[in-house]
Amino acid sequence: MPNTDVLEEIKLHILPPLPYAEDALDPVISADTLRLHYGKHHKSYVDTLNKLIDGSELAGLSLEQLINETASKADKAAIFNNAAQTWNHTFYWRSLCAKGGGEPPAALKQKIEATFGTVDACKKELATAATTQFGSGWAWLVLEGDKLKVVKTGNAETPLTRGAKPLLVIDVWEHAYYLDYQNRRADYVNAVLDKLVNWSFAADNLG
Ligand SMILES: [Fe+2]
């Protein structure tokens, strides 16, 4: 019989599998970028998080609980950064898909049109948020109350801690695009919005 008491205590955060093959987003995002971004950067956030919380009172918390528990606490910044980056990246992979872009599902499209006028206007607002985020960060489509909104966050920050519900995200850290686009962040962002963005995932997140 396995010792379940011991098993219960080992609650490591895991690196979830990519929802597609490493070359699935090529040529918009190359397999080389995905291999590094997922296999090195994302993995490193998960591994570092597990080391930082090992044996502490935070070890039993879910990822979202950890993020909320450590947000804005200077002495917990390293834990927050690695927990939020773990969450943000898992959400980013799911915000993309091969043969993405195009028209959002009807319910989401209707909400987008009510807020932004057109899907293109929504994409434009996302692109502006993504390209004007100074330094590293993220551009998000979120639901705030009953309203859609585009927001940007710096470094590991996430709308989760501001009471908003993320629907979709674009990673604008240089590691997300530099191999493929060098300094041309706008080209990466527009290609993602036109060809990879997973509107069905965003629609599912509406709940
Ligand atoms: Fe990233």
Side-chain angles (χ1 to χ4, degrees), residues 37 41-42 45 85 89 92-93 137-138 171-173 175-176:
H37 196 174
H41 292 275
H42 192 178
Y45 295 127
Q85 284 295 80
H89 279 89
Y92 170 63
W93 305 129
W138 304 84
D171 188 344
V172 296
W173 283 59
H175 66 222

Side-chain angles (χ1 to χ4, degrees), residues 110-186:
Q110 206 175 13
K111 238 175 158 44
I112 285 176
E113 287 174 346
T115 306
F116 303 96
T118 62
V119 174
D120 273 348
C122 173
K123 284 167 65 179
K124 224 170 237 173
E125 202 162 316
L126 276 164
T128 300
T131 51
T132 59
Q133 168 54 36
F134 185 76
S136 298
W138 304 84
W140 307 80
L141 180 65
V142 302
L143 191 64
E144 245 184 35
D146 196 33
K147 292 252 181 242
L148 292 183
K149 206 172 162 186
V150 167
V151 295
K152 55 186 175 181
T153 60
N155 297 318
E157 294 293 331
T158 158
L160 282 179
T161 59
R162 304 172 190 180
K165 187 177 190 187
L167 302 181
L168 195 76
V169 74
I170 303 173
D171 188 344
V172 296
W173 283 59
E174 284 187 347
H175 66 222
Y177 61 87
Y178 218 83
L179 270 185
D180 299 326
Y181 297 87
Q182 290 79 49
N183 60 323
R184 292 174 284 112
R185 187 192 284 188

Side-chain angles (χ1 to χ4, degrees), residues 62-95:
S62 72
L63 202 48
E64 292 193 19
Q65 286 171 329
L66 258 182
I67 290 168
N68 283 311
E69 191 62 35
T70 58
S72 307
K73 290 185 181 158
D75 61 330
K76 300 277 194 303
I79 295 174
F80 171 81
N81 286 337
N82 284 282
Q85 284 295 80
T86 296
W87 194 97
N88 292 351
H89 279 89
T90 299
F91 197 78
Y92 170 63
W93 305 129
R94 298 176 69 197
S95 295

